[in-house]
Amino acid sequence: MYMEYYFAFNLMLIIFVFILWTYCKLSVGICKCKNHLVGKVTVITGGCTGIGFETAKDLAERGARVIITDIDDKRGINAKNEIIAATANNDIHYHHLDLASFKSIRKFAAEILTQEKRLDILINNAGMFGSENVKTEDGLLLGMQVNYFGPFLLTNLLLPLLKSSKPSRIINVSSMISYFGTIDLQNLNMEKETSETYKREKVYANSKLCLILMTYELGRRLKGTGVTANCLHPGVSLTEMSGNTNIALIAYSLPWLKLFWKTKWEAAQTSVYLAVSPKVADVTGKYFKDCHESSALARQAKDTELAHKLWTLTEELVGILTLGICKSSRHLVGKVVIVTGGNAGIGYETAKDLADRGARVIIACRNEGRGTSARDSIIKATAYANCDMDLQNLNAEKENEKTYKKINLYGMSKLCNILMAVELSRRLKVTGVTAIQSAWEGAQTSIYLAVSPEVNDISGKYFVDCRAMKNVRRNGYDLELARKLWELSEKYVGIKADH
């Protein structure tokens, strides 16, 4: 009788385990999208092992140019060769990147901005679990920097290339462990922790919660730019990141539990889904698991005000202290500048900034074609600086097929926009209405001018990036020219507005 009960119990246990295993496997989200990525460029941090490696391999099979990173060069080169062999895609590249070093992050970002013409997908996959209570060379807690501060800095450094490559996508690999995280803005870098209160699991949970909040705020800031940002929980999977953690110890002591965990390939599916699926092309600032949007989040993860405050504080800890952001609004009218290598990357952005300040900019590079293309692009981007206003030729009546240039017309139209705002401001001075003028940041600056109480009494100014600019070219604030342009415009459009 005992043997019969023993047999029955074991049979029921086996059936239960089988049903549970079947449910776990059937509930795994699998990316079924077959879209190719030929012509697309993707960066995957931590793309040499585990979930990152499986993600890189999938995107490589779809024809993407895949850039993987790691802190171990030997491992990175081996991973690159493995992916090439498995996918027959030779456009796979390895770059060294240590997220525990802002110097390394800036070096990597500079390489990408200089060498790549576009960036379509950025996957912040790299992370670490079980970090000790040690500080990096940048003064930040190791686990927090690798999992949060590092990805924050890298994402912001690569944003210009992502924006110019729109539509593009940012994917942040978070974790369900974030549910146990608690954000204390007064203890973000966990300075208050002692050897007794410090817990590795707490650092991991907090950093992954920060990554979710960063995604929400990034999604809000990028609305209308063509760049989306989403985050995900990949699922429980035993990867190289587990190391000697409790997860690994449990797995080795109770190996049957691994039956219910995801394989690395399964864990990579949501990352792949967010990278390629047309269903999420316009989705931003959301949290996913198993290829579906999820609301299973900690209370703090839904706090939009906290997300905004966290972003601002992180900018102080990461951006201002490490990036050396130039806040000067000084103009360079009358100055001449030569920028070598000014046709791409950092040189191009430098040349564009100086041109926007009114300087005569000379860019030097080895390839004449690329130099000419960069010159034309900078002229177009600089929101009027090289254009003069000819009221006798406002509608380009004097132009012919040889003298007509689209770039000149574009620049003059933007200068007209500025002058219109100046004159409109003068005419509306006593009405309580302010003149809105959108700038290169597009919708965000328009929204700022429409809703912010900070500009209630400001009128007739030119805004860029939600700030009034002082370095507008001289004729951009020429009141007499603005008046004459207004009167001439009235004639062209057939109206007579009140003065």
Side-chain angles (χ1 to χ4, degrees), residues 389-400:
M389 182 62 64
D390 183 359
L391 296 179
Q392 306 303 316
N393 191 33
L394 185 60
N395 198 34
E397 296 91 341
K398 299 178 181 178
E399 307 301 326
N400 54 45

Side-chain angles (χ1 to χ4, degrees), residues 287-426:
Y287 176 72
F288 285 77
K289 68 175 183 178
D290 286 314
C291 300
H292 292 287
E293 188 179 332
S294 173
S295 59
L297 292 162
R299 177 182 57 82
Q300 279 193 312
K302 303 175 183 178
D303 190 333
T304 55
E305 181 61 24
L306 177 62
H308 174 71
K309 290 180 179 178
L310 175 65
W311 182 282
T312 302
L313 179 59
T314 306
E315 280 184 328
E316 294 177 5
L317 291 173
V318 175
I320 295 176
L321 294 181
T322 62
L323 286 178
I325 297 172
C326 177
K327 295 187 173 183
S328 171
S329 59
R330 181 188 176 191
H331 73 77
L332 294 176
V333 175
K335 304 293 184 181
V336 179
V337 180
I338 295 177
V339 182
T340 60
N343 64 300
I346 295 173
Y348 173 82
E349 294 298 328
T350 302
K352 189 167 68 170
D353 183 280
L354 301 183
D356 201 39
R357 296 170 186 265
R360 173 181 170 82
V361 178
I362 301 170
I363 56 175
C365 64
R366 290 179 294 179
N367 188 297
E368 184 177 350
R370 291 178 184 173
T372 301
S373 177
R375 178 201 64 187
D376 293 344
S377 180
I378 291 173
I379 290 174
K380 182 176 180 179
T382 57
Y384 72 92
N386 295 306
C387 292
D388 290 313
M389 182 62 64
D390 183 359
L391 296 179
Q392 306 303 316
N393 191 33
L394 185 60
N395 198 34
E397 296 91 341
K398 299 178 181 178
E399 307 301 326
N400 54 45
E401 292 182 359
K402 293 182 179 180
T403 61
Y404 178 81
K405 292 183 179 180
K406 292 181 180 179
I407 290 178
N408 291 346
L409 188 64
Y410 180 85
M412 192 163 72
S413 69
K414 293 304 177 184
L415 180 55
C416 284
N417 288 157
I418 296 170
L419 290 167
M420 181 185 79
V422 171
E423 179 64 11
L424 188 58
S425 171
R426 185 187 68 78

Side-chain angles (χ1 to χ4, degrees), residues 24-250:
C24 289
K25 292 302 177 182
L26 289 177
S27 63
V28 169
I30 304 298
C31 179
K32 297 180 180 179
C33 175
K34 302 299 182 183
N35 280 6
H36 73 75
L37 294 175
V38 176
K40 303 294 185 182
V41 179
T42 180
V43 167
I44 306 173
T45 65
C48 300
T49 58
I51 297 171
F53 177 82
E54 293 297 332
T55 304
K57 193 163 68 170
D58 185 289
L59 302 188
E61 287 175 343
R62 298 170 186 267
R65 174 179 173 85
V66 179
I67 299 167
I68 55 176
T69 76
D70 201 277
I71 58 174
D72 186 322
D73 291 339
K74 182 178 179 180
R75 184 167 60 191
I77 293 171
N78 287 339
K80 180 191 77 170
N81 293 334
E82 264 190 75
I83 294 172
I84 291 173
T87 65
N89 181 347
N90 291 315
D91 204 5
I92 313 300
H93 306 271
Y94 164 74
H95 285 249
H96 180 89
L97 173 62
D98 181 4
L99 288 170
S101 166
F102 287 158
K103 181 180 179 181
S104 176
I105 295 171
R106 289 195 296 270
K107 181 176 182 293
F108 170 72
E111 290 171 355
I112 297 300
L113 293 173
T114 302
Q115 298 171 12
E116 302 299 326
K117 294 181 179 179
R118 61 182 303 113
L119 178 57
D120 301 275
I121 303 165
L122 169 62
I123 303 179
N124 287 309
N125 168 82
M128 69 182 305
F129 186 91
S131 62
E132 298 300 328
N133 187 9
V134 296
K135 298 290 179 65
T136 68
E137 62 186 25
D138 303 296
L140 298 171
L141 191 64
L142 178 61
M144 287 297 295
Q145 178 159 338
V146 171
N147 294 342
Y148 171 61
F149 291 117
F152 181 95
L153 175 60
L154 178 62
T155 300
N156 279 279
L157 289 173
L158 295 180
L159 266 181
L161 190 56
L162 285 159
K163 287 181 179 180
S164 66
S165 307
K166 64 181 182 182
S168 53
R169 306 183 185 192
I170 299 169
I171 299 158
N172 296 322
V173 180
S174 183
S175 170
M176 184 176 65
I177 304 298
S178 62
Y179 194 85
F180 302 100
T182 303
I183 303 300
D184 178 0
L185 296 179
Q186 306 303 316
N187 191 33
L188 185 59
N189 196 37
M190 305 185 77
E191 297 90 344
K192 298 178 183 178
E193 303 301 323
T194 65
S195 56
E196 290 77 22
T197 62
Y198 179 85
K199 293 182 179 180
R200 297 183 298 178
E201 294 80 4
K202 182 178 180 181
V203 176
Y204 186 76
N206 284 4
S207 65
K208 291 300 183 179
L209 177 55
C210 283
L211 203 58
I212 293 175
L213 289 167
M214 163 190 152
T215 304
Y216 287 169
E217 180 67 10
L218 190 58
R220 184 187 70 80
R221 290 169 178 254
L222 292 176
K223 276 187 178 177
T225 66
V227 184
T228 61
N230 292 292
C231 58
L232 66 106
H233 165 55
V236 180
S237 177
L238 189 63
T239 67
E240 291 80 353
M241 185 181 75
S242 304
N244 295 318
T245 63
N246 292 336
I247 294 176
L249 294 175
I250 292 172

